[in-house]
């Protein structure tokens, strides 16, 4: 199966393969949601015999249907419809205190989501409980395992998906966990991905598809991120690319959870704010309008965040998307924040900084989309 990035399958406003939008040229006789073989050949720079071969492979796998198109005077064209509903994918987000579940189709359209207060346990029984939640969703929707492409799982930790291994997830107290054990329990293909990488991938795929490169910053209790290069995640030598939270922002500064001093995370974790209002981040933002000392803390917080973002902009010159819990609250002060970032950048160009709109399900949607991308070979190196 060789449907790589660059193949665009229009489906109203959604299309698989990020980046370029489908070309309108030559498609006037083709209904929305389909491409003629000639258009596919033109889009991908392939010969018609090669397209015929690929199309029949995809048809055999149930991913395409072929129909005769309307004649425009010459030969009646064959139109290929990508079947986004031919299979579905589960996305899970596992944290120390909750389990989120989404079900998406192959275009990333969310069909179902749920949030469970289910603290993680380092026992087989945790995954068995998760399996029964998945299988009950399948039952409700009349789906069988054959309808499910697999399960993408987002976790707060370092993952070696090429080795099927979770290397280190401190908040889950996991080290060197071979996740094929989860695959055996689910009886479905499973991939596990770092949650910031997964959320960044969802952002890149669904929200910022016109941008080939970018940085996603995930600002929650922990601070992390993802590096997107040519629409795919860039992992780095040790699979730790995007660990922005442990860049030093203040030499000799506050102690960080990693043991170092002065890390970005020590200044911009949402704990810095929530700890002042009994651990409740929403309460911090409710109260800061009436309590000047909270407003002052917020201003200081914004300055550190602006410093880190401007450093990233200066170093990489790519769009930066800010996600995680802080994205819900930064909107009201966003122009003020952008002015701060701009003042810290020594060039006249405007920084491309925006807030994530991928929402609270971003990590589990991203983990599910990564499974789609890997299983269908949509992107090289994901
Ligand atoms: Zn640190």
């Amino acid at each position: 199966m060789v449907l790589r990035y660059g193949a665009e399958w229009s489906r109203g406003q959604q299309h698989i393969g990020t980046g370029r939008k489908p070309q309108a040229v030559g498609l006037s006789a083709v209904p929305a949601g389909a491409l003629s073989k000639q258009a596919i050949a033109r889009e991908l720079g392939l010969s018609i015999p090669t397209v015929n071969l690929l199309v029949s492979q995809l048809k055999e796998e149930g991913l395409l249907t072929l129909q005769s198109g309307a004649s425009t005077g010459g030969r009646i064209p064959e139109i290929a419809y990508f079947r986004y509903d031919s299979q579905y994918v589960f996305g899970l987000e596992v944290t120390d205190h909750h389990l989120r579940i989404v079900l998406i189709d192959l275009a990333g359209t969310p069909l179902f989501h749920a949030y469970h207060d289910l603290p993680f346990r380092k026992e087989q029984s945790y995954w068995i409980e998760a399996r029964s939640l998945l299988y009950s969703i399948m039952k409700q929707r009349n789906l069988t395992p054959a309808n499910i492409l697999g399960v993408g799982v987002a976790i707060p930790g370092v993952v070696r998906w090429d080795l099927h291994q979770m290397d280190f997830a401190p908040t889950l107290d996991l080290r060197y966990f071979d996740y094929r054990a989860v695959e055996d329990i689910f009886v479905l293909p499973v991939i596990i991905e770092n949650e910031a990488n997964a959320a960044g991938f969802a952002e890149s795929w669904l929200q910022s598809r016109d941008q080939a490169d970018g940085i996603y910053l995930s600002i929650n209790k922990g601070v992390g991120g993802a590096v997107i290069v040519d629409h795919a995640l860039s992992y780095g030598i040790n699979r730790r690319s995007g660990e922005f939270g442990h860049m030093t922002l203040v030499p000799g500064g506050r102690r960080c959870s990693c043991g170092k001093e002065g890390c970005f995370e020590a200044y911009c974790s949402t704990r810095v704010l929530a700890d002042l209002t009994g651990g409740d981040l929403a309460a911090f933002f409710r109260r800061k309008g009436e309590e000047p000392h909270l407003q002052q803390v917020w201003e200081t917080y914004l300055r550190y965040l602006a410093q880190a973002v401007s450093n990233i902009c200066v170093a990489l010159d790519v769009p930066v998307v800010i996600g995680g819990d802080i994205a819900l609250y930064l909107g009201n002060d966003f122009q003020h924040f952008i002015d701060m970032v701009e003042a810290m950048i020594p060039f006249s160009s405007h920084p491309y900084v925006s807030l994530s709109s991928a929402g609270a399900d971003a990590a589990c949607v991203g983990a599910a989309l990564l499974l789609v991308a890997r299983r269908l070979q949509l992107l090289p190196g994901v």
Side-chain angles (χ1 to χ4, degrees):
M1 229 290 286
V2 194
L3 176 61
R4 292 199 177 276
Y5 163 67
E8 299 280 3
W9 301 87
S10 66
R11 186 208 195 216
Q13 292 304 304
Q14 290 171 319
H15 35 278
I16 266 188
T18 54
R20 293 172 300 127
K21 291 200 164 95
Q23 299 296 302
V25 181
L27 299 183
S28 55
V30 177
L35 283 176
S36 70
K37 286 182 180 176
Q38 288 75 11
I40 295 169
R42 202 164 44 241
E43 280 283 303
L44 301 182
L46 298 174
S47 68
I48 290 289
T50 306
V51 171
N52 280 336
L53 183 71
L54 295 177
V55 162
S56 57
Q57 280 177 4
L58 291 165
K59 192 169 168 250
E60 230 167 80
E61 294 177 37
L63 290 164
L64 278 187
T65 51
L66 282 174
Q67 287 181 22
S68 297
S71 171
T72 51
R75 257 178 82 184
I76 294 174
E78 269 198 301
I79 308 296
Y81 290 78
F82 193 89
R83 294 193 50 212
Y84 293 93
D85 59 351
S86 58
Q87 282 201 298
Y88 301 94
V89 192
F90 279 116
L92 307 187
E93 184 190 36
V94 172
T95 74
D96 55 345
H97 62 279
H98 75 248
L99 174 69
R100 269 181 208 278
I101 303 176
V102 297
L103 181 69
I104 62 168
D105 67 12
L106 297 182
T109 311
L111 306 168
F112 173 89
H113 81 115
Y115 178 97
H116 298 274
D117 288 315
L118 182 63
F120 180 75
R121 306 185 301 276
K122 258 187 357 177
E123 296 156 14
Q124 222 188 23
S125 64
Y126 173 83
W127 297 107
I128 292 171
E129 201 171 337
R131 178 186 65 188
S132 57
L133 291 169
L134 300 185
Y135 277 69
S136 77
I137 296 162
M138 282 158 58
K139 198 173 169 197
Q140 282 161 23
R141 305 184 74 90
N142 290 324
L143 298 173
T144 68
N147 303 118
I148 304 295
L149 188 69
V151 186
V153 183
I155 62 138
V158 178
V159 179
R160 290 290 308 260
W161 59 265
D162 51 334
L163 301 178
H164 300 94
Q165 183 170 283
M166 265 185 236
D167 264 9
F168 183 41
T171 58
L172 305 182
D173 191 24
L174 276 179
R175 265 182 191 277
Y176 305 118
F177 173 69
D178 186 332
Y179 62 74
R180 277 171 291 199
V182 178
E183 215 160 37
D184 292 343
I185 292 169
F186 286 175
V187 204
L188 287 167
V190 170
I191 62 154
I192 297 196
E193 181 55 86
N194 168 273
E195 46 94 18
N197 273 345
F201 189 69
E203 177 70 35
S204 162
W205 182 296
L206 297 172
Q207 316 291 337
S208 313
R209 61 169 65 103
D210 292 334
Q211 298 291 346
D213 307 321
I215 297 298
Y216 177 82
L217 270 182
S218 170
I219 314 256
N220 296 300
K221 286 177 189 163
V223 174
V227 178
I228 308 285
V229 177
D230 198 14
H231 301 284
L233 288 166
S234 171
Y235 286 96
I237 295 166
N238 297 300
R239 322 291 294 180
R240 294 195 193 112
S241 175
E243 287 290 353
F244 298 105
H246 304 290
M247 300 187 305
T248 301
L249 209 51
V250 181
R254 289 178 202 161
R255 178 74 63 185
C256 178
S257 61
C258 71
K260 269 177 52 191
E261 288 173 345
C263 292
F264 174 25
E265 179 172 300
Y267 290 84
C268 290
S269 156
T270 54
R271 280 186 211 274
V272 170
L273 310 173
D275 281 355
L276 300 175
T277 47
D280 183 346
L281 187 62
F284 177 89
F285 287 96
R286 269 198 313 274
R287 284 169 46 186
K288 84 173 170 60
E290 287 129 38
E291 298 181 38
H293 74 284
L294 295 183
Q295 184 60 41
Q296 210 173 352
V297 169
W298 175 234
E299 278 296 315
T300 306
Y301 178 97
L302 282 180
R303 210 166 51 245
Y304 285 123
L305 183 58
Q307 186 64 67
V309 169
S310 68
N311 287 348
I312 293 168
C313 290
V314 168
L316 298 172
D317 193 23
V318 294
V320 176
V321 177
I322 299 174
D325 292 342
I326 206 67
L328 302 172
Y329 302 101
L330 192 51
N332 290 340
D333 292 304
F334 197 60
Q335 191 52 52
H336 174 46
F337 172 69
I338 291 293
D339 292 344
M340 282 182 174
V341 175
E342 215 168 320
M344 292 171 184
I345 292 180
F347 313 117
S348 58
S349 58
H350 296 296
Y352 292 97
V353 181
S354 58
L355 290 176
S356 170
S357 48
D361 288 336
C364 37
V365 169
L369 284 172
L370 274 161
L371 192 134
V372 175
R374 285 178 199 157
R375 298 270 296 169
L376 303 189
Q377 301 172 45
L378 292 171
L379 292 167
V382 294

